[in-house]
Amino acid sequence: MASVDSSLTLDVEQIRNDFPILKRKVNDKPLVYFDNAATSQTPQQVIDVIVDYYSRYNANIHRGVHALSQEATDAYEQARIKIQKHFNIPNAYQTLFTAGTTHGINIVASGFASILEAGDEVIVSALEHHSNIVPWQMLCEKTGAMLKVIPMLDNGTLDMQAFDALLSDKTKLVFVNHVSNALGTVNPIEEIIKKTHAVGGAVLVDGAQAAPHIKADVQALDVDFYVVSAHKMCGPTGVGMLYGKEKWLEKLPPYQGGGEMIDQVTFEKTTYAGLPHKFEAGTPNICGGIAFGAALDYMNAIGFERIAAYEHELLEYATAKLKSIEGLRIYGESSKKTAVVSFNIEGVHPYDMGTILDKLGIAVRTGHHCAQPIMDFYKIPGTVRASFAFYNTKEEIDSLVAGVERARNMLI
């Protein structure tokens, strides 16, 4: 038996005490929360930061000389620096606050509408969330550029030989998720970035599903754009981050007009503020940004290496247990996965399975997971997705397995 590195072990019970919601019951059963890929839960330490903001220094930022405004501004900009350091972003001004991953993708797509021309080619992967498909389709409709797709294989990985064949000097942009939200596949983004750059293209990586598990280093990756959402990382909803290489952020036009993003305004001409404010029109989610920084503090205090090691242990345990159930198929069996298991039972609709599990207090996600092309590939309406976090336990997985077996016996 392999020895366990004690430095990577977690005190899961102590961690669980940080999350008030894990103490509640659903349908008179202890809550088992396995919908972490949709949104993670929030520890008390982050909740306290949110309450503290609204209790002590709620004010608009950047535009006030009074004490509350200056305190709020300082806290918000300190959070930006925390995010910058976490992702190893060269400069704080390349760290743009957004409303989330979808917002960040749309900022880039909107900007490239003034750059792409008819005949240019952009590439997406078959494993994308709809938020990393639809904006690029809209971009192609506006510009006349052509959208191409990296196909997927039956094990839930990308066909990299096909990707090689798609690349050409016409390739201007490639969009790929770091981790598939539907299957948990970790994509070979380093290889994709290197090969795309070799033909002169740029790469946007959707890091929403990777960020809770993998501490991405944008400089080491040499990625052109990287987007994440705070609510996947123990933070609040409605806030995220867009990183861009400086040359691109300077080249792209503003996404929205309004306050904060201007330098000088006259009726004859308006000039725009420098980075990052050029892309941050209007009053932002101030509290959300501050809480995002607090969430990173919390997760970094635990340690991403430790989080990844423990979650991999949960993934292996759940995979083995679920595979023992008759008629169960797991979709996405890459050797490189985050803690996500998408599955179906032959003859059972995923919605029916999810409904019964909910009655048992078990929260899973059912449906197409905003990834309909993946479901079309497998010729299924959707899956049951159980996604694990560092505050989950093997005992909870045992409850899931018992619940799936009970549902199977009821529905077949």
Side-chain angles (χ1 to χ4, degrees):
M1 182 176 178
S3 61
V4 177
D5 185 347
S6 60
S7 68
L8 298 181
T9 58
L10 295 182
D11 187 342
V12 180
E13 286 309 311
Q14 180 179 336
I15 289 170
R16 288 177 64 83
N17 286 333
D18 291 337
F19 292 82
I21 201 168
L22 298 182
K23 296 179 174 65
R24 72 161 288 182
K25 291 190 174 183
V26 173
N27 295 318
D28 293 324
K29 306 286 186 183
L31 170 65
V32 174
Y33 186 78
F34 285 157
D35 196 21
N36 295 286
T39 200
S40 62
Q41 293 302 336
T42 307
Q44 189 65 51
Q45 291 88 332
V46 176
I47 296 170
D48 289 345
V49 168
I50 294 169
V51 172
D52 184 55
Y53 169 79
Y54 283 113
S55 301
R56 292 199 315 110
Y57 61 103
N58 177 25
N60 214 325
I61 58 173
H62 297 145
R63 296 187 287 274
V65 297
H66 61 83
L68 268 62
S69 178
Q70 292 186 15
E71 288 174 17
T73 299
D74 288 346
Y76 190 72
E77 293 303 330
Q78 282 301 311
R80 191 192 303 274
I81 291 170
K82 289 177 183 179
I83 298 165
Q84 173 205 352
K85 290 180 177 178
H86 178 85
F87 291 100
N88 194 27
I89 295 170
N91 302 290
Y93 58 76
Q94 293 171 261
T95 310
L96 310 185
F97 278 112
T98 68
T101 297
T102 300
H103 183 207
I105 291 170
N106 277 275
I107 289 173
V108 178
S110 175
F112 268 90
S114 63
I115 297 173
L116 292 186
E117 299 176 349
D120 288 340
E121 295 177 355
V122 298
I123 299 174
V124 301
S125 92
L127 295 179
E128 300 310 304
H129 188 282
H130 295 165
S131 65
N132 209 24
I133 299 174
V134 179
W136 311 120
Q137 290 176 323
M138 296 167 68
L139 175 64
C140 288
E141 289 172 0
K142 289 178 182 177
T143 62
M146 180 179 295
L147 183 71
K148 295 193 170 185
V149 181
I150 311 169
M152 61 181 287
L153 303 173
D154 194 62
N155 67 351
T157 62
L158 293 177
D159 184 340
M160 292 302 289
Q161 285 188 330
F163 174 62
D164 290 343
L166 291 175
L167 286 169
S168 74
D169 58 4
K170 294 182 180 180
T171 304
K172 303 304 178 187
L173 288 163
V174 173
F175 320 106
V176 63
N177 51 33
H178 197 159
V179 170
S180 163
N181 73 299
L183 305 177
T185 304
V186 180
N187 286 317
I189 61 168
E190 295 90 343
E191 179 183 355
I192 290 170
I193 293 165
K194 185 176 180 180
K195 288 181 174 179
T196 303
H197 286 170
V199 299
V203 180
L204 179 144
V205 171
D206 172 355
Q209 293 297 325
H213 316 287
I214 300 167
K215 193 168 182 176
D217 181 332
V218 298
Q219 292 191 72
L221 289 171
D222 195 27
V223 67
D224 298 280
F225 303 97
Y226 198 90
V227 289
V228 300
S229 295
H231 72 98
K232 310 286 189 183
M233 307 179 70
C234 299
T237 56
V239 67
M241 181 277 295
L242 162 63
Y243 157 75
K245 284 185 175 178
E246 187 169 358
K247 66 176 183 179
W248 285 117
L249 296 180
E250 292 289 0
K251 190 173 185 179
L252 297 184
Y255 176 62
Q256 292 177 311
E260 189 67 26
M261 54 74 67
I262 57 88
D263 177 29
Q264 295 290 325
V265 176
T266 68
F267 285 112
E268 289 71 36
K269 183 176 176 60
T270 292
T271 54
Y272 305 127
L275 299 173
H277 307 297
K278 169 183 171 183
F279 294 100
E280 295 182 350
T283 299
N285 184 350
I286 302 166
C287 181
I290 295 167
F292 189 2
L296 289 179
D297 286 343
Y298 179 82
M299 295 188 73
N300 279 310
I302 295 171
F304 275 77
E305 230 188 317
R306 298 169 75 200
I307 287 171
Y310 178 69
E311 289 175 344
H312 184 70
E313 189 179 327
L314 292 179
L315 173 65
E316 289 191 323
Y317 184 82
T319 300
K321 288 281 188 178
L322 288 167
K323 277 188 170 181
S324 69
I325 299 174
E326 184 180 351
L328 187 144
R329 177 182 174 181
I330 292 175
Y331 298 91
E333 296 193 86
S334 169
S335 59
K336 295 182 178 179
K337 282 184 64 174
T338 57
V340 171
V341 182
S342 274
F343 64 91
N344 280 330
I345 297 273
E346 186 178 358
V348 177
H349 195 282
Y351 179 84
D352 296 332
M353 174 67 70
T355 300
I356 291 174
L357 291 175
D358 178 62
K359 298 297 183 186
L360 301 173
I362 303 169
V364 295
R365 182 68 46 164
T366 61
H368 55 64
H369 316 301
C370 293
Q372 286 180 329
I374 293 177
M375 305 305 142
D376 292 343
F377 175 84
Y378 287 119
K379 297 180 173 58
I380 54 176
T383 68
V384 180
R385 184 186 70 188
S387 49
F388 314 118
F390 57 91
Y391 43 73
N392 290 129
T393 67
K394 290 180 179 178
E395 290 76 18
E396 289 181 315
I397 291 171
D398 290 339
S399 297
L400 170 68
V401 172
V404 170
E405 289 178 325
R406 179 175 174 179
R408 179 188 178 279
N409 294 334
M410 291 173 63
L411 295 169
I412 293 181

